[in-house]
Amino acid sequence: MYSVSADYLTAIAKNARAHMLTGTVNGIFFDGGDIIRNSFSVKNQFCPATEIALGGVYVGELNLTFTEAFASSMNIRGSWKGKVITASIGVELADSSFEYIPINGGSYIIESAQWTDAGIQIVAYDNMSLFDVSLPATTIGSGTLHDLLSLACTACGVTLGLSQMECSALPNGTETFYAYPENAMVTYRDLISELAEASSCFATINRSGELILKTLPDSVTLTIPYNLRYSTSFSDFTSYYSMIEVTSPSDGTVRTYTNQNIGGLSLDIGKNPYLETGLEVTYTRMRQAIVDELQTFRSVPFSATLLTNPALDLGDLIEFTGGIGQGS
């Protein structure tokens, strides 16, 4: 969750509050009055909708429709593609001022723009899309997590938002990663996905437009009571993991690694080149580090419609209390 003030936390605990939208496109300021009502949205995820998975490298998507008046005033008709959009959402505080939170994903690059009678419909993607560049086989090499992430970021013009120390603190962050030549990685985004999976993480773009890796959460970020939810549905079971299964790309052999959980789910790691190369003692240690990291993760599948809270980050663990949430 983005760092916010105590006044902000007080404001979002109310079941009614005002919001303001501001931003820039191609360096020109806009606010909510320049956008067609209910057209602004930001979408992102770190795993499929039906299951938890590691190694997510999803591209964040921004959609909005600028009014015809604002779009025409930009005087860039025919050249909207490639322009950069930034935005912040403000939440009204008790003193009637607004605390502004930069949106998840930081800056977005316009991919398509379509003129309509109402204005111009924009679809833009965050910097994860910049990693969709062919991966030269000669550049894969070997190195630590930080080394290889830095290589990908330099090649694709994206800033790495993790220090050497932060990378080293992740599962397998101090290991040396090797990839066999016959691996299935095609783009730099594939490379990042495999590295994230081998570190028991998912990859995403932070609010500064930087690439980061995050482990699955094991502590609650925010509690949302029943009176701040428009609608909710919760599964009747809790997901947790007691083992991982790793498939060998050479012969299809499946090996299983367990933690101390009993009766949990199995997570399929698939054919990850960074978990196959080198000495058996090394990749066995790396695989065990992944399942050990998953030991404390718990989640309940749910669907909810909530009041806007722009401070929430992708991968936050939210607790729902009261109503059909019962205890939590």
Side-chain angles (χ1 to χ4, degrees):
M1 183 171 169
Y2 187 77
S3 179
V4 294
S5 69
D7 289 339
Y8 179 94
L9 294 175
T10 299
I12 64 167
K14 298 178 180 179
N15 57 13
R17 54 184 180 266
H19 300 88
M20 292 284 285
L21 176 66
T22 64
T24 64
V25 55
N26 198 32
I28 304 299
F29 176 83
F30 66 81
D31 60 24
D34 299 314
I35 296 175
I36 300 298
R37 186 175 178 84
N38 295 327
S39 71
F40 180 89
S41 67
V42 175
K43 306 173 185 177
N44 209 340
Q45 63 192 86
F46 71 80
C47 64
T50 55
E51 62 179 344
I52 297 294
L54 300 175
V57 285
Y58 291 87
V59 176
E61 179 180 325
L62 180 149
N63 293 267
L64 61 80
T65 300
F66 286 118
T67 63
E68 195 278 333
F70 176 81
S72 296
S73 72
M74 291 288 294
N75 197 30
I76 56 171
R77 185 159 188 156
S79 59
W80 281 81
K81 184 172 180 176
K83 299 298 188 288
V84 174
I85 293 180
T86 65
S88 296
I89 298 174
V91 173
E92 186 178 25
L93 306 181
D95 63 1
S96 298
S97 66
F98 284 79
E99 184 166 340
Y100 286 89
I101 311 295
I103 61 171
N104 283 287
S107 57
Y108 285 75
I109 305 163
I110 296 177
E111 175 61 26
S112 67
Q114 182 173 345
W115 289 90
T116 69
D117 291 335
I120 188 168
Q121 294 177 345
I122 298 295
V123 178
Y125 299 114
D126 69 10
N127 284 344
M128 190 67 79
S129 62
L130 297 178
F131 292 107
D132 288 328
V133 176
S134 295
L135 179 66
T138 55
T139 68
I140 296 176
S142 63
T144 64
L145 179 63
H146 187 267
D147 292 337
L148 295 177
L149 290 176
S150 296
L151 179 149
C153 286
T154 299
C156 299
V158 179
T159 300
L160 178 60
L162 296 171
S163 67
Q164 175 76 65
M165 184 177 297
E166 288 170 323
C167 284
S168 296
L170 294 172
N172 293 322
T174 58
E175 298 282 359
T176 299
F177 290 87
Y178 300 91
Y180 50 84
E182 299 79 16
N183 67 79
M185 296 186 292
V186 176
T187 67
Y188 281 100
R189 187 144 67 109
D190 294 334
L191 180 147
I192 292 169
S193 177
E194 304 291 20
L195 288 171
E197 184 179 58
S199 304
S200 197
C201 292
F202 65 91
T204 190
I205 302 297
N206 67 15
R207 297 172 192 265
S208 298
E210 302 166 333
L211 174 71
I212 59 172
L213 267 55
K214 297 178 68 174
T215 56
L216 298 180
D218 59 7
S219 60
V220 173
T221 299
L222 185 69
T223 297
I224 302 178
Y226 73 95
N227 62 309
L228 297 183
R229 310 193 298 260
Y230 293 123
S231 64
T232 44
S233 65
F234 302 107
S235 172
D236 194 45
F237 66 87
T238 298
S239 294
Y240 66 96
Y241 295 90
S242 57
M243 69 180 71
I244 63 169
E245 294 181 345
V246 182
T247 304
S248 171
S250 58
D251 58 10
T253 302
V254 178
R255 295 190 181 185
T256 300
Y257 302 82
T258 61
N259 56 31
Q260 296 181 17
N261 290 332
I262 298 175
L265 301 173
S266 175
L267 188 65
D268 182 13
I269 294 298
K271 301 175 181 179
N272 188 316
Y274 294 117
L275 297 173
E276 290 291 335
T277 310
L279 298 175
E280 182 176 359
V281 65
T282 301
Y283 61 68
T284 297
R285 180 177 67 242
M286 294 174 70
R287 295 168 180 179
Q288 189 62 47
I290 295 173
V291 72
D292 288 344
E293 174 66 24
L294 294 172
Q295 181 167 308
T296 57
F297 176 72
R298 300 288 188 276
S299 71
V300 175
F302 76 95
S303 175
T305 304
L306 310 169
L307 290 166
T308 297
N309 182 359
L312 287 172
D313 284 324
L314 191 67
D316 280 347
L317 187 62
I318 304 169
E319 179 184 57
F320 296 99
T321 58
I324 62 170
Q326 298 185 10
S328 62

